[in-house]
Each structure stands twice: as C-alpha cells, then as structure tokens.
Amino acid sequence: MSCVETIADYALRSIGFGERLLPREGYTLCQQFTLIGSGMIWNIYFGVLALCSGFVLAVALAVGKASANPLFRKPAEWVIFVFRGSPLFIQFFFAYLLFLSLKNSYPFFGAFTAAWAGALVVLFLNTAAYSGEIFYGALRSIPRGDMEAAEAYGITGWNKFRRITFPTMLRLAWPAYTNEAIFLFHATTLVFFSGFPAWQQRGDALYYANYFADKTFNPFVPYPILAFYFILLTLSVVGLFALASRRLNRHLPREARQKLRLRPNFLR
Amino acid sequence: MFAYCTDPASLDGLAWLACYLTTGKHMAFYASFGTVMLLLAVTAPTALLFGFGGAVAARARFLPVRMLGKTYIAIVRSVPDIAFFLFFVIALDQGLEYLRLLALCPDWDQPVRQGNDFVVCSAAKLPSNSAPQWVHEVYGFLLAMFTFAIVFGAFAANVLFGAMMAVPRAQIETAEAYGMTRAQTFRRILVPQMWVYALPGLSNLWMVLVKATPLLFLLGVEDIVYWARELGGSVTPRFSDYPHSDWRVWYFLALLVFYLLLTRVSEIVLERLMKRLTFGQATTGGMAA
C-alpha cells in the first residue's frame, strides 16, 4: 500500500471517514504520520472552540471578580477557584460520570457523555477560569491615569468599558493569554485518557500515538511525531497571537510596544 | 474494622457506611493518598535539582552545553506534558534494560528490536521476573517519579533561568570589582539572591505539579484515581459484602475536594513564605512589608 493510499484511507479516520480498521501490521512511518495527524483534528477542534467560547465567559468572570458587589464577586471567585484549583484530569472524570448519571434521569444529557460535547464543556469552563484570572490581573493593573483621562472626556459606564477598559485589559493580558492558549491546546490531549471513551477508536493525536506505541512497543517513533505536530501547532498559535498583539498595540509608539515573549516565564 | 462489622447484611444506615468505608480496600485507597504526597515530596526537590542543572546549562559559556540546556527547556515547554509522561515511562525502562544488556550479557547477538518486541536477555530484565510484587511496584513508582522530575525540571529550569537573569546587574559587578572569580560570584552572590525572584514562579510550578499528580494513574501506579475507579464502580452481592450501585461520581467528587483543599493550603503556606522571604528585600513585595 503506497503512502498516498494510506493518506486517502486514514487522513480523516479520526472523524469517521475512510478506512474503518486501524492498521494491524507494518506500522509504517507513513501510517503513523497520517493517523497522528488525523487525530490533531480533534485537538484543534477542542482547542479552538474552547478558546473562543471561553473568552466570553473569561471576560465576564474577570469583571465579576473585580466587581465591588459580592453578588457578582463571590460566584466568579468560586468558579475560578474550583476550576483552577483542581486537576483537569479529575474534572474530566468527574464531569463524565456526572453526565452519565444525569443521563439516566434526563436523556438530554446523553450527548454530553460523548467527548465532542462533554469534554468541550469542561475545557470551556476550565479555560474560562484560567483566562478569567489572567484578565482579572490585567484589569487591576490598568493605569489609573487612563481611566481618569476617560472620565475627564466624559466617557462613562458601558462606553468607558468598551472603549478604554476592555482594550487596555486585553493588551496587558495578551502575553499571558497567549501562554494560556498554548496550554489549552496541550490540555486537549487529556480528553481521551480520562473518562471519555474514544467511540469507534476515533481519538485525538495522543490517542493514536499511544496506540502505535502500544502496538510496536517502540515509543521513539510515534511520540516524536506527536511532538513535531504540537511544535507546529504551538508555533502557529504563537504566530496568530503575535498578529493580534500587533493590532492591539498599534496605537503605541514603536519602542513602547511590548514584545510578545515567545517563552514567557509564566506557567499555567 | 469495628466489632459490629462482622455481619454486613444486618447493618444499615450510618453503621453500614462506617463499616463500608473501613474495609481493607478502602484502607488501600487512603494509603494511596500517601503515595501522592510521597510523589510530591520526592519529586519537588528532584525537579528543582534538574531545573538548577538546566538553568546553569542554559547560561553556560560553552556553546554546546548552552544549546543543550536551552533545547531541554524549549522542547518540554512546547509538547504536552502527558505525552512526555507516556513516552518516558517506556523509554526509560527500555533504556535501562538496554544498558543492563550491554553490561550483563556481552555475548548477546540478537537485535534488541525484533518486529514489535523489545527483547533482552533474561538477566537484563528490570525488575527481574522472579522479583517479588513490591519490587515491581517500587520500580514503577521510581520510573514515574523520574519522569515527573524530568518534565518539571524543565519548567523549573525556565523559572530559575529567569531568576538568575533578574538578580540586579550591580550586585554581580560589585562582586567582580572585589575580584571574585566567575564561580565565586555564582556561588556567593547569584545563587543566594536568586531565590526571592524565583519564588513566584516556583510557587506556580508547585501548583502545576500538584495538579499533575493524578496522571500517575496513566503511568500504571495504583494511585487515588485507580482506587476511586475500582471502589466506585458498581458492586454486586456476588463480589462483595457491601453491594452498591455506581458511586464513582461521589469518589471523584471526594478527589476534587481533596485537590481543592491541597491547593488552598499550598496557597496559604506559599503566601506566608513569600512574605517572610521578601521581608526587607528591595522588591515590590519587600517594600510593601
């Protein structure tokens, strides 16, 4: 079987198109590259959707945590604490089992016992909590002068938030937020190793890498392939975020623009 | 455990629960919390050691060593940590067995990789087939610990590298002006002063390490996740004196609470430590105190 055929058979295997059976012999480099790459579809799916939806909740959480009203502050603080304070791995297990028991009483939750929806909910809440904390930190470090200047111009309320607070917060949080995005993509590899089953062996990149490592008993091929894909993914995330950072900082004089640190000291 | 537990069928309510929660298997479950704490206690200093080595290598003057240090930091940071865990556990095992093969079986002439098998002579097997069960368990735990140390060592190296850079240049220049050599400056000035700059990063790292401990389960160690799955699953009267339906969700809720408490306690302790260490230092934290 030539490599082109392998690609035709397995390139979309992870979402259910093409050859049903996974390779059982040979385990050529081509097969490993194709299948692990096919699994990356899931990593990108989870990462992109969780990041986009999580962003909205993260801003709400940050504003809530910075609010003087305990009615908004307390829930935001708790959501952030619970999701940042416990391991994602345990959250996946817990959510899966929770959805499983909810399914018995409400069939509506049936979809959430599958990874595509259930794990997405967990990742969404998880990244919202982490980014919320980052945005909250940025919110508190907005220079007082900026806000005073806005008020002096008569900009208040929603307008002030939309035109001054929010863009400044985003600009200050951006390097840390880039880091969070990278970690989120890394976290997506946990999905199929926790409670969520990989239905019909449609898994993510790590699932297939692990499959090959188990079958060939040789970790030195599939994991470096996985690493290769993730380094590519990390570089493209960094590139996209650098573009956004350029736009966020476009009003600043050239020297004052923060250079986006490619290797921030910040950990998740 | 309690005297009245001898006949489980006659129990109900709280007495049943008290007996259920003190069965032998539950004791193993509680002991596995000790495994997690042990892993944390052993891994943290080892990772710090690896990190120190990595940071020193990354700022070495000799180019190949510097490249090695920087590559170590960069690679571990851009690949998911769980991939490293899965990789190193097999890779370390096979590497050790291969080294033992070279040392113990000099007349071995077959290739090590035969098709989909990794074959070494029986003397090189690690741990040997005849070893008791606990040796296998300890070996598995040590491999897991070493893997954690390698991965978190890279994170620590990143933090310590930043901290070394953050020590004010004037301090180093003063030391040089006093005629200290590079090694002396490093030992007497740089290392004692860098900790306060490293602490925020290291606290963060500790939190990440705490939250990575459930991954022990994936490395084949019988940790709390393993036991929660075992004990929580449905138990029928055929297999146990204490039948119950699927309780895994409660067991995982308990684990969630355990980790939240651990995080909270760590936060409080680290905050105190930070306050003490920055006392009187020329940093924002010290100024505020």
Side-chain angles (χ1 to χ4, degrees), chain A residues 13 48 51 69 76 179 192 199 204 207 215 223-224 227 264:
Chain A
R13 172 65 178 76
V48 169
L51 206 61
N69 187 345
N179 206 38
F192 292 103
W199 186 58
D204 74 329
Y207 178 85
K215 292 289 176 198
Y223 290 122

Side-chain angles (χ1 to χ4, degrees), chain B residues 6-31:
Chain B
T6 43
D7 183 17
S10 67
L11 297 169
D12 58 349
L14 272 181
W16 183 89
L17 198 65
C19 289
Y20 171 71
L21 289 178
T22 50
T23 54
K25 282 206 169 174
H26 273 87
M27 289 302 165
F29 174 49
Y30 304 140

